[in-house]
Amino acid sequence: MCSAANCMLPLRKNCEGLANLGRLNGGASMSISATGFRMHRHPQDSEMDFTWQELMAITELQDLEVQNDSQYENGPYPPMEPAVSVGGFGMNQSHTGALTQGCDVTSGGYEGSYHEVMPPCQRLGPGMDPHYAHSGSQLASRLHPNTQSLQPPLMSFLEHMNLMSASHGLEKDSFGHSHSTGLGPSHSKQQHAAIDDMESDSGLSLGSSPPLASPENGVTSVTTYACTEPGVPYAEDEMEASMGEHCRMTGDSHVYPMDFHHHHHPVNHYPGAPSTSYFPMAPSLPPIHQQHQSHSVYPLKQQQILPSTALHLNSPGTSGSRAGSCTSSYIRPKGHGALTPLSRDERRASALKIPFPLEKIVNLPVDDFNELLTHYTLNEPQLALVRDIRRRGKNKVAAQNCRKRKLENIVHLEGELGQLRTQREHLARERLDFQRGLATIKCRLSELYAKVFSQLRDEEGHPYSLEDYALQQTNDGNMYLVARNASLDAE
DNA sequence: GACCTCTGTCATAGC
DNA sequence: TTGCTATGACAGAGG
């Protein structure tokens, strides 16, 4: 550079008036130990003090502003500049290219020195950096008002799901948990199962999704299976083999309705609901039928089915009108009169003469289901089929719930994404506003620095002319007064 | 006929 | 061990 003593003068002067310089923003104090270059108090020192006080005031203001705005820097945005300390001034000043545009420091007698000697990363005081560069933990409090409750997706999702569960009330627990209503757990389970039926086409459609029963077609929606049906359209050997002993019950078919009359299936009823009896049951089983008539009180979603009427294998019915009528076993009324073929399991159940409705096979709690089985003597193929039906029915419901949950997650995540985008735009606007304010402050600060600089005096009391000296920063981060000719020479 | 969506089913893991 | 639930993967039906 130059002969250091004369040309490159560390800005560590014996200058009481500048002592405060090292206290900019409360940062690292400036060393005033340089030799051969001292600042002397002059009559205008009081003016310098005043200027300095003004400087301090503006830096304090700067500090305050930064405290207000810095918290955005740990959010989705990277810090504008790295925090690099400037030994001499104890300042770190942030900078962006646009900040000083329009702030002509050189015209203030500083001749570009501010820009030149202060790297962009060092134009904010150290009091600014800590605020400007961290505080991520407080970010949430600075969020857009509408997004204050925003949480990480998972947490939000969990909360969402809780809300969903709460809002759905007893409609359905999407995680499969029964909602206690003060009744026993068995009741809750059954309620849950029945709710599932109402909410999805699962229950046990076992084959088709369209609505199978409705108040309009209540009567015709009865699926009837005739045990004497000659035209079973499939011939699975084991089923056929078991046909011979079909419907062999324990001899007391009344046991079944007696027991399950007490299972509180939370079914609902609508007038004119189809008779839902099934083949082996004695015609006089009103409790059973009441249990299975319902569901339809809830509005049907499109393509949802009401399994209560779809799953009964045999329906002589208590109405008596169709008892023994032996209507077709393989076509079931669909929606508004359309016919739909029976599902595989329905056909199999019909072939094996399963003596209870598929709905019960699937929806009964395990204990009740086992108890149900004890009331009938089923052969191995029948038992295997019943268990398969139960497994598939459960899994079908689970799959439907799973897909429903998946869709809900997607919807929720999309909403959260929109929220985050809004937040990002909001933060970008605030950031822009902050940068503009900061540029104004820096402009004023530069002017004040220039003013201070113009009031410095050397040992002989001569001012440091801006024409002769400029502030420059060395690699060690310290600020120096550099003779311009030396600086030019060095270059 | 290719493609997409919906649905049921199976296999598997975890509780 | 058994039963249930959740979920990915696959296949079939239908648009």
Side-chain angles (χ1 to χ4, degrees):
Chain A
M1 294 275 285
C2 70
S3 51
N6 294 328
C7 301
M8 184 171 171
L9 307 172
L11 197 57
R12 296 173 179 172
K13 314 305 174 193
N14 296 328
C15 174
E16 297 91 331
L18 278 180
N20 282 338
L21 273 174
R23 294 208 165 281
L24 277 177
N25 283 322
S29 59
M30 175 187 293
S31 168
I32 311 178
S33 59
T35 59
F37 187 89
R38 292 178 292 118
M39 302 295 178
H40 299 276
R41 289 189 72 90
H42 287 270
Q44 64 270 36
D45 278 359
S46 58
E47 184 182 353
M48 281 187 60
D49 288 344
F50 175 79
T51 302
W52 184 248
Q53 288 174 5
E54 190 177 5
L55 200 60
M56 289 298 294
I58 200 169
T59 53
E60 287 171 3
L61 173 64
Q62 198 171 352
D63 189 61
L64 285 177
E65 290 206 1
V66 169
Q67 283 183 350
N68 280 339
D69 290 329
S70 62
Q71 299 169 353
Y72 297 102
E73 291 306 313
N74 249 14
Y77 304 104
M80 285 194 293
E81 304 95 4
V84 179
S85 68
V86 179
F89 283 102
M91 293 178 60
N92 294 337
Q93 301 198 2
S94 64
H95 164 78
T96 59
L99 288 182
T100 51
Q101 289 178 358
C103 179
D104 188 1
V105 177
T106 60
S107 66
Y110 207 37
E111 209 205 332
S113 59
Y114 187 76
H115 254 300
E116 292 166 3
V117 303
M118 303 288 282
C121 58
Q122 298 170 343
R123 291 184 185 158
L124 285 177
M128 300 181 72
D129 265 333
H131 300 281
Y132 201 65
H134 88 28
S135 74
S137 62
Q138 301 178 16
L139 180 60
S141 64
R142 297 278 308 168
L143 296 180
H144 189 278
N146 292 335
T147 64
Q148 279 191 339
S149 62
L150 191 65
Q151 300 174 7
L154 180 57
M155 292 296 295
S156 187
F157 166 63
L158 291 175
E159 182 185 53
H160 168 75
M161 296 309 291
N162 287 335
L163 290 175
M164 291 285 295
S165 298
S167 64
H168 287 179
L170 286 180
E171 177 193 350
K172 182 174 185 294
D173 184 330
S174 51
F175 289 112
H177 301 301
S178 300
H179 298 280
S180 172
T181 58
L183 301 174
S186 174
H187 173 86
S188 297
K189 277 189 173 181
Q190 295 167 14
Q191 189 174 43
H192 174 236
I195 290 169
D196 279 349
D197 290 349
M198 292 181 287
E199 192 174 69
S200 70
D201 58 347
S202 55
L204 249 196
S205 70
L206 291 177
S208 59
S209 298
L212 297 176
S214 67
E216 303 90 71
N217 63 357
V219 173
T220 59
S221 65
V222 175
T223 300
T224 58
Y225 298 85
C227 61
T228 57
E229 172 67 33
V232 177
Y234 56 93
E236 296 181 25
D237 293 341
E238 62 179 7
M239 295 181 183
E240 296 296 338
S242 65
M243 290 287 282
E245 51 182 334
H246 73 278
C247 303
R248 182 164 53 86
M249 302 170 62
T250 54
D252 184 4
S253 62
H254 300 284
V255 174
Y256 166 61
M258 175 184 69
D259 289 342
F260 293 96
H261 171 243
H262 299 292
H263 290 300
H264 316 286
H265 295 287
V267 294
N268 299 279
H269 308 271
Y270 59 83
S275 169
T276 57
S277 62
Y278 35 88
F279 159 76
M281 299 304 298
S284 58
L285 302 174
I288 291 291
H289 307 312
Q290 287 178 0
Q291 290 171 14
H292 298 290
Q293 280 178 346
S294 53
H295 303 290
S296 301
V297 99
Y298 292 83
L300 285 175
K301 297 177 184 177
Q302 193 173 10
Q303 292 194 348
Q304 270 191 333
I305 68 163
L306 296 178
S308 62
T309 58
L311 303 176
H312 298 176
L313 301 177
N314 303 287
S315 304
T318 54
S319 63
S321 61
R322 284 183 305 280
S325 62
C326 286
T327 58
S328 169
S329 302
Y330 309 106
I331 297 296
R332 176 179 40 200
K334 172 186 179 182
H336 299 283
L339 300 180
T340 179
L342 298 179
S343 69
R344 181 184 61 178
D345 281 337
E346 285 173 312
R347 293 194 306 269
R348 288 177 177 175
S350 176
L352 293 186
K353 301 300 179 289
I354 302 301
F356 27 77
L358 271 63
E359 180 192 57
K360 280 196 175 299
I361 295 175
V362 174
N363 293 332
L364 281 180
V366 61
D367 291 340
D368 296 343
F369 175 67
N370 290 331
E371 186 176 354
L372 172 65
L373 292 181
T374 63
H375 298 144
Y376 300 90
T377 301
L378 302 179
N379 56 29
E380 281 305 313
Q382 282 177 315
L383 278 175
L385 177 62
V386 163
R387 297 199 183 281
D388 277 351
I389 288 173
R390 182 173 175 86
R391 176 178 51 79
R392 282 193 289 265
K394 295 278 187 190
N395 189 249
K396 184 197 294 183
V397 175
Q400 288 164 344
N401 290 336
C402 184
R403 284 162 179 151
K404 181 182 176 185
R405 246 190 326 272
K406 198 179 291 184
L407 287 177
E408 289 171 349
N409 289 350
I410 292 172
V411 169
H412 179 259
L413 289 174
E414 284 175 345
E416 198 164 273
L417 183 62
Q419 216 172 7
L420 287 170
R421 283 178 174 146
T422 301
Q423 179 188 351
R424 183 178 63 181
E425 293 168 2
H426 174 75
L427 290 174
R429 283 194 296 272
E430 286 201 357
R431 175 190 172 113
L432 190 61
D433 291 343
F434 168 74
Q435 288 175 343
R436 286 172 180 161
L438 192 61
T440 302
I441 292 172
K442 285 177 177 177
C443 184
R444 177 64 181 148
L445 192 58
S446 297
E447 293 171 359
L448 291 174
Y449 273 129
K451 190 172 182 180
V452 169
F453 180 82
S454 68
Q455 292 167 351
L456 295 178
R457 295 294 182 273
D458 62 13
E459 291 175 311
E460 299 174 356
H462 299 130
Y464 292 99
S465 169
L466 286 173
E467 296 178 356
D468 299 329
Y469 292 91
L471 283 170
Q472 281 194 358
Q473 183 187 25
T474 57
N475 291 334
D476 59 7
N478 289 325
M479 302 301 300
Y480 294 90
L481 277 172
V482 180
R484 290 191 178 280
N485 58 353
S487 178
L488 293 175
D489 291 344
E491 294 173 358

